[in-house]
Amino acid sequence: MDHYKVLGLHRTATKEEIKTAFKKLAFQFHPDKHSQSPRAIRENATIRFKQVSEAYEVLMDDRKRADYNFRRSSGNHGGNNPYSHYSYGYSRSGSRYEYKPGSGAGGGLASNFEMALRILTGRSSLLYLGFAGAILCGIVVIDASRESLWRMQNSGKSFEEAMKSIEKAKAYREDNMKERP
């Protein structure tokens, strides 16, 4: 389904043109207007109304529209519906469509990778990743400085030898403390 064709617009349509086309078509196909029509006409009008609403929601939101245009131009086609990896649901309680990328029939590894990439490139994820990187770098620096300090203070000694000399120093200190009244 081509959202631009549904609204009868060109790809370069402005938000005002989209809004005008939507209002005209929504009024024409609104289910309440066709409540007394025969069943086939009523169902067709309902379907067209949902398509018009879906097209309006995607084209009015800059992010959704850019994503839609990108997918449309990249040739990401699945069967008859080039946007089958999207799912748009009609919520009766909210009386509006909900945009749910990646939950459609397209699925697969590419969609999962795309979703993971979107999550990882979000602002908060990048912030957390940067914070984790800073902590990891801090740990590496502290560990390296600890080792270099050890080598500076204990040149030529192994850890075991250093522990023996510490034990000797403790024993010597205890002996000196006992001798003093």
Side-chain angles (χ1 to χ4, degrees):
M1 178 177 71
D2 185 348
H3 293 317
Y4 293 104
K5 284 184 182 178
V6 167
L7 294 176
L9 299 170
H10 189 265
R11 192 169 182 216
T12 59
T14 65
K15 285 191 174 193
E16 196 58 40
E17 292 171 327
I18 294 168
K19 190 181 235 181
T20 303
F22 169 72
K23 284 182 179 180
K24 177 184 162 197
L25 293 170
F27 181 74
Q28 181 181 349
F29 295 113
H30 198 278
D32 291 344
K33 185 176 180 185
H34 296 280
S35 62
Q36 302 302 319
S37 300
R39 184 175 183 197
I41 293 173
R42 188 173 58 236
E43 287 177 358
N44 187 36
T46 302
I47 289 170
R48 287 283 292 148
F49 179 76
K50 288 179 181 181
Q51 290 173 343
V52 167
S53 297
E54 176 183 320
Y56 175 74
E57 184 171 332
V58 171
L59 297 179
M60 283 301 285
D61 184 293
D62 292 333
R63 182 175 282 174
K64 292 176 190 176
R65 184 175 183 178
D67 190 48
Y68 173 81
N69 288 337
F70 173 75
R71 291 177 188 286
R72 186 170 178 246
S73 66
S74 69
N76 189 1
H77 303 307
N80 292 338
N81 184 359
Y83 312 103
S84 60
H85 51 278
Y86 284 101
S87 171
Y88 298 91
Y90 186 70
S91 167
R92 284 190 180 264
S93 60
S95 297
R96 61 182 295 258
Y97 284 89
E98 296 173 358
Y99 173 73
K100 303 172 201 166
S103 60
L109 182 62
S111 293
N112 292 339
F113 175 74
E114 204 171 272
M115 188 61 70
L117 188 62
R118 283 183 183 206
I119 290 169
L120 291 175
T121 57
R123 286 183 187 173
S124 60
S125 297
L126 292 176
L127 183 65
Y128 293 145
L129 188 62
F131 185 67
I135 289 175
L136 184 62
C137 287
I139 290 170
V140 168
V141 166
I142 289 171
D143 191 48
S145 63
R146 182 186 56 85
E147 285 183 32
S148 65
L149 283 173
W150 172 262
R151 286 190 202 116
M152 253 182 8
Q153 298 295 326
N154 302 303
S155 59
K157 293 183 184 176
S158 69
F159 181 75
E160 289 80 18
E161 291 173 347
M163 290 305 292
K164 285 181 185 176
S165 65
I166 290 172
E167 291 296 323
K168 285 181 186 178
K170 281 184 183 177
Y172 179 76
R173 193 178 310 144
E174 287 175 3
D175 288 342
N176 283 341
M177 294 299 273
K178 288 180 184 176
E179 290 177 9
R180 290 185 191 169

